[in-house]
Amino acid sequence: MPDQHQQTNQSFYDRISGAYDFIADSSEHKAREMGQSGLGLKPGDRVLEIGFGTGNSMIDLAKLVGPTGKVIGVDISPGMQKVAEKKIAKTDLGDQIELHIGDARNLDFPPNSFDAAFMSFTLELFDESDIPSVLGEILKALKPGGKIGVVSMATVKTGDKSSALEKTYIWMHQHFPHIVDCQPIDVVTLVAAAGFTIEKELDMEIWSMPVRAAIGVKPE
């Protein structure tokens, strides 16, 4: 049964699903595409996306893996799923894509099922204590040598200064988590701690806030 944090996230994203592309994707898409390219996907690959949202990444990933590949998405929000289904239905990629409602802390896939996994602005939505479980489930679902790409709002690197916007965002998350639902995370350290070997670390900024993509590999 979903816990309170999960139910709050589901309700929030159900409400904003119809406007999400306008609210967020216009600023997030470059970072998302940066993480996708870092995976180095090949035709025929089988890819898992956690937090597929309105389906933009699913469409991009399906194009990268081609007609012999498969992209399977898991999200908590039925509202997002409906938006994604309508968007995918306008393409010729429907046979390559599957959408599921589920809990990333307890994935229902056999071990060694995927060549790659992707998350974009999703991992930081989980409670800090749940992040190792999410990454552990993905590690189990990937084939040996499979890659994970995680794009997230990022903590400031040692020696760098936080922007005023980032400080405000962190304060808002601490005091009003029901309004500001995510927080910057040290994504590279978290992915490495889950058992992945870090292959790449990619950086950019959105509105003066650091965004980082960690590309990790499951050991053979």
Side-chain angles (χ1 to χ4, degrees), residues 21 91 149 158 187:
D21 282 350
T91 74
T158 302
V187 63

Side-chain angles (χ1 to χ4, degrees), residues 13-168:
Y13 282 99
D14 282 346
R15 290 197 306 273
I16 69 168
S17 58
Y20 185 82
D21 282 350
F22 175 77
I23 296 170
D25 194 68
S26 60
S27 60
E28 293 178 355
H29 73 93
K30 288 184 179 180
R32 185 182 74 241
E33 291 161 4
M34 173 181 71
Q36 291 168 356
S37 64
L39 282 172
L41 296 174
K42 306 181 299 298
D45 277 347
R46 184 176 169 90
V47 184
L48 170 67
E49 182 177 16
I50 302 298
F52 58 74
T54 60
N56 294 312
S57 289
M58 300 292 286
I59 292 170
D60 291 343
L61 294 169
K63 291 176 180 177
L64 290 172
V65 302
T68 59
K70 192 78 173 181
V71 184
I72 297 177
V74 176
D75 200 288
I76 197 175
S77 168
M80 288 289 195
Q81 183 184 33
K82 290 178 182 178
V83 174
E85 286 174 341
K86 290 179 181 179
K87 190 176 295 183
I88 293 165
K90 295 177 182 178
T91 74
D92 58 355
L93 302 168
D95 290 342
Q96 298 167 233
I97 297 174
E98 291 181 15
L99 304 179
H100 299 271
I101 297 299
D103 184 350
R105 299 169 300 181
N106 186 24
L107 294 175
D108 189 22
F109 300 109
N112 308 321
S113 297
F114 296 94
D115 299 289
F118 185 65
M119 302 179 74
S120 178
F121 300 102
T122 297
L123 189 61
E124 62 266 51
L125 300 178
F126 289 91
D127 280 338
E128 188 175 353
S129 60
D130 285 332
I131 289 177
S133 297
V134 174
L135 293 174
E137 286 290 288
I138 295 172
L139 182 71
K140 182 172 64 176
L142 284 174
K143 299 174 183 177
K147 292 186 179 182
I148 185 173
V150 184
V151 180
S152 75
M153 294 176 56
T155 51
V156 175
K157 291 184 175 180
T158 302
D160 292 343
K161 292 183 178 180
S162 298
S163 68
L165 178 59
E166 177 148 354
K167 290 177 181 177
T168 301

Side-chain angles (χ1 to χ4, degrees), residues 186-218:
D186 185 354
V187 63
V188 174
T189 297
L190 289 166
V191 171
F196 293 94
T197 300
I198 300 299
E199 181 181 77
K200 297 177 185 176
E201 179 181 339
L202 307 169
D203 290 275
M204 67 175 296
E205 288 187 353
I206 295 178
W207 303 111
S208 80
M209 297 179 63
V211 173
R212 193 162 300 125
I215 309 297
V217 181
K218 179 176 178 176

